[in-house]
Amino acid sequence: MLVIMKNDATEEQVRAVIREIETLGYRGIPIPGAQRTAVCIIGNQGTVEDSSLLALDGVKETIRVTKSYKLVSKETHPQPTVITIGNVMIGGEKPVIMAGPCAIESEKQALAIARIVKKYGAQVFRGGAFKPRTSPYSFQGLGEEGLKILKKVREETDLLIITEAIDHTNIELIERYADIIQLGARNMQNYSLLRQAGQAKKPILLKRGFAATIEELLMSAEYIMAEGNSQVILCERGIRTFSDNTRNTLDLSAILSIKEVSHLPVVVDPSHAAGRREYVIPLSKGAIAIGADGILVEVHNDPLHALSDGMQSLYPEQFAELVKEVEALAR
Ligand code: PEP
Ligand code: MN
């Protein structure tokens, strides 16, 4: 349920509503809007008796939320969420470009790629230090050494850093180094990780699991938001279908479906969807054309020798082309 405050409600009146919600045995999360504040009630399993809330000063009305997610929903927050980090806006007018290698392999490799993606127009540098690999014998990432390299990348290039947290025990470590914490497709329903991410003070990029519905993705985002972190970016990265011409099938309609019901920004990862670099530029254009808020893309200076996902990593010149195409489309 949402408690909608009157336009001129005071902060004390909002606090009184939250106290009453707590007396009823639930939690109240205030959501300030352009016109008025709403207070979202969470923790209830059935309907909430609202008469004591309606009687409080400053309360306009209550709205019953019919879905199993609330904080991610447009009913709670009608305006699109814009996440601002430094001078980068995600969900704003311009698409954000996040680019870099699948994995941080060495300082030399990371800095070389970071300089390239910066030069061609990326705002965020991606690169995994902890890699969730399908095989236990594949390269698992450099761990904290990789995070230290990412710190150097930020110092040298001023790019923001996105890197993945693979379980709830390493999220605090990742938070110290990253500007955005990535949660991967394999972990979309790792609830202890989602809850821990909800306590982080950094934005979270949540990837859609490769067998997850949109509703399941939104409920996973709800786990993060219910812990108090409202800065969530959703990412469509391809799902598993019978179609085997690509690594996964990019579900472009997911962008439309998410935007119909949620205020959260949505970016697209064409690299893990395609699995092959020749498809990455066209898929990125498709994503931007139908309203994605940005692209998360793998780029490598030497893809043929990359320690992971080389086949889908763009060459530097291809990345330059992608940025040009995306910017033209966005305009
Ligand atoms: C990645 O971004 O390198 C990655 C592992 O992605 P996903 O979780 O989508 O497979
Ligand atoms: Mn990868």
Side-chain angles (χ1 to χ4, degrees):
M1 177 180 285
L2 289 174
V3 182
I4 309 296
M5 304 301 295
K6 292 180 179 157
N7 288 3
D8 58 356
T10 63
E11 282 184 25
E12 179 44 37
Q13 287 170 340
V14 174
R15 279 197 292 272
V17 166
I18 294 172
R19 279 198 299 274
E20 177 57 20
I21 293 170
E22 286 168 356
T23 306
L24 293 170
Y26 315 120
R27 272 176 62 210
I29 299 190
I31 302 157
Q35 309 290 330
R36 41 96 184 137
T37 294
V39 183
C40 183
I41 301 179
I42 59 172
N44 60 303
Q45 311 245 304
T47 50
V48 174
E49 169 49 49
D50 60 0
S51 51
S52 63
L53 293 164
L54 286 168
L56 292 175
D57 289 338
V59 172
K60 178 165 177 263
E61 60 182 335
T62 58
I63 300 177
R64 297 202 185 274
V65 179
T66 46
K67 306 238 171 50
S68 39
Y69 46 84
K70 303 176 186 179
L71 298 168
V72 303
S73 137
K74 266 192 183 165
E75 288 174 341
T76 311
H77 191 292
Q79 274 85 34
T81 284
V82 179
I83 295 175
T84 306
I85 318 167
N87 53 11
V88 175
M89 278 162 62
I90 304 166
E93 295 217 331
K94 283 171 124 185
V96 65
I97 309 280
M98 312 186 195
C102 180
I104 302 301
E105 299 168 11
S106 67
E107 183 174 323
K108 192 163 165 249
Q109 171 249 22
L111 280 170
I113 299 172
R115 288 182 197 120
I116 291 166
V117 301
K118 163 100 182 175
K119 176 169 133 200
Y120 292 130
Q123 294 93 43
V124 184
F125 182 70
R126 64 146 291 150
F130 294 87
K131 293 302 302 175
R133 302 305 300 281
T134 304
S135 163
Y137 308 119
S138 304
F139 175 58
Q140 304 284 312
L142 297 179
E144 189 163 1
E145 191 194 331
L147 297 177
K148 290 184 178 149
I149 294 172
L150 285 168
K151 186 167 170 229
K152 282 201 183 132
V153 167
R154 186 200 294 106
E155 283 163 4
E156 195 192 294
T157 63
D158 239 3
L159 288 165
L160 298 177
I161 301 297
I162 178 168
T163 194
E164 180 167 353
I166 55 173
D167 67 53
H168 68 277
T169 60
N170 83 347
I171 207 156
E172 280 178 35
L173 176 69
I174 303 287
E175 190 179 356
R176 268 187 262 139
Y177 290 91
D179 297 294
I180 305 172
I181 303 168
Q182 176 174 325
L183 303 186
R186 291 161 188 77
N187 267 321
M188 192 202 84
Q189 288 179 311
N190 177 341
Y191 298 114
S192 53
L193 178 61
L194 296 173
R195 284 190 201 279
Q196 198 71 36
Q199 289 175 20
K201 301 282 175 284
K202 298 274 171 75
I204 306 295
L205 179 137
L206 176 65
K207 288 189 149 193
R208 179 182 181 187
F210 38 71
T213 63
I214 301 299
E215 180 124 339
E216 287 161 346
L217 171 64
L218 293 171
M219 285 193 279
S220 290
E222 185 82 16
Y223 265 89
I224 300 170
M225 294 189 73
E227 291 293 321
N229 190 345
S230 57
Q231 297 191 291
V232 179
I233 304 153
L234 301 174
C235 178
E236 161 62 35
R237 47 78 75 204
I239 50 173
R240 181 155 296 174
T241 68
F242 60 80
S243 202
D244 61 359
N245 58 318
T246 49
R247 181 176 174 183
N248 291 283
T249 299
L250 185 62
D251 180 8
L252 282 182
S253 65
I255 303 162
L256 305 176
S257 305
I258 293 168
K259 287 196 173 283
E260 226 164 61
V261 294
S262 176
H263 54 89
L264 295 174
V266 188
V267 304
V268 166
D269 171 347
S271 309
H272 291 85
R276 33 198 294 213
R277 71 179 69 84
E278 313 86 78
Y279 285 10
V280 166
I281 295 177
L283 291 177
S284 304
K285 288 167 68 180
I288 295 300
I290 68 166
D293 295 299
I295 299 291
L296 174 73
V297 63
E298 288 183 342
V299 179
H300 204 288
N301 55 345
D302 184 9
L304 299 183
H305 297 101
L307 296 183
S308 62
D309 288 349
M311 292 256 293
Q312 66 196 32
S313 298
L314 294 181
Y315 283 97
E317 321 72 74
Q318 289 178 307
F319 176 66
E321 173 70 17
L322 179 144
V323 175
K324 246 197 264 159
E325 300 259 16
V326 158
E327 286 181 350
L329 257 178
R331 269 201 299 281

